[in-house]
Amino acid sequence: MCNADDEYISSDECASNVGECSCCKTCTPDQICAQEGGTCTKLSIGCASGFRKSILGGGCCTDECICCVPDACNSTNFRCTPDAYGTECRESCRNKRLQYETNIYCAINQTCCKACIPDPSCSEEGGICVTRNTGGCRGDLIESSNGKCCNSEFCACCVPNPQKSCWNATCLADDNPVVFQGGCNVIGDYRLKPDCGVACCKLCKPDSLCCSEGGRCYKGSCPP
């Protein structure tokens, strides 16, 4: 009877001592998945049309499930709606390396700062998207020949240069995803400063036990 799209058979034991019962659990979004407005479904089913695997590395407290988020590249919302990737209305964009200005309406004296978001082809290569007008891909990153961004006119998909391994080993080899915001000021963000002179923001990600208890991960210590 564990047949719903968001249910799976767990290896956890049931109280029955005759082996006739199986533990049925519901896929539960972790804090990163929830932040992206994602939902969880069985891995064997996959994401429905119009959805894609979490961009920020959100999960579902188990490897049996996948976090599916609305595909921002196919969005029909032409408003400057704040999102988990950094889109916002401001007097000026905080991070012009990761945000580009658009003519979407905001309040007087404000501009819509849209985040550069990778499409699935860029994400599959472990890429990130940066604005073209700030120099495009730099350092240990090169522009992908296959990966694209949601708005490739303004943004470039940058992937690790196979001839330069420092950024790749430091920022992408970790289980926690690279954060697109540049300031590392969001609760749960921390900044890596390796010896090779590059830096990246990472999200504190709950393990399966923390997630199953409804916990969230914070930088440093838990809030009062």
Side-chain angles (χ1 to χ4, degrees), residues 52-70:
R52 59 182 288 191
K53 183 180 179 181
S54 167
I55 299 172
L56 294 179
C60 302
C61 302
T62 174
D63 292 336
E64 299 288 338
C65 306
I66 184 174
C67 172
C68 299
V69 301

Side-chain angles (χ1 to χ4, degrees), residues 218 221-224:
Y218 292 84
S221 60
C222 295

Side-chain angles (χ1 to χ4, degrees), residues 3-182:
N3 297 323
D5 288 353
D6 62 347
E7 293 179 336
Y8 65 99
I9 298 294
S10 167
S11 59
D12 293 348
E13 295 182 359
C14 296
S16 170
N17 58 6
V18 294
E20 296 178 352
C21 298
S22 297
C23 178
C24 181
K25 286 190 172 183
T26 301
C27 305
T28 304
D30 65 17
Q31 69 186 68
I32 300 174
C33 181
Q35 179 185 351
E36 289 184 82
T39 58
C40 289
T41 187
K42 279 189 288 200
L43 183 62
S44 59
I45 294 177
C47 298
S49 176
F51 289 79
R52 59 182 288 191
K53 183 180 179 181
S54 167
I55 299 172
L56 294 179
C60 302
C61 302
T62 174
D63 292 336
E64 299 288 338
C65 306
I66 184 174
C67 172
C68 299
V69 301
D71 190 347
C73 293
N74 294 329
S75 174
T76 57
N77 181 6
F78 298 107
R79 299 176 182 272
C80 195
T81 305
D83 58 31
Y85 314 114
T87 297
E88 59 186 347
C89 285
R90 291 183 61 86
E91 292 183 6
S92 62
C93 297
R94 290 187 296 179
N95 193 330
K96 295 183 178 180
R97 179 90 174 124
L98 303 173
Q99 298 171 317
Y100 60 95
E101 295 185 2
T102 74
N103 58 2
I104 298 176
Y105 177 76
C106 288
I108 298 175
N109 298 325
Q110 288 191 334
T111 186
C112 179
C113 301
K114 291 284 287 184
C116 286
I117 301 174
D119 76 1
S121 65
C122 182
S123 294
E124 287 172 3
E125 294 188 46
I128 61 171
C129 288
V130 302
T131 52
R132 293 187 179 278
N133 62 7
T134 56
C137 307
R138 302 175 185 170
D140 286 358
L141 300 177
I142 58 175
E143 184 166 355
S144 170
S145 57
N146 300 312
K148 304 297 181 183
C149 303
C150 291
N151 295 287
S152 291
E153 176 184 355
F154 303 102
C155 307
C157 173
C158 301
V159 296
N161 186 337
Q163 298 178 352
K164 297 182 179 180
S165 60
C166 188
W167 196 95
N168 185 22
T170 302
C171 295
L172 293 181
D174 193 286
D175 289 337
N176 295 355
V178 174
V179 180
F180 297 144
Q181 292 94 329

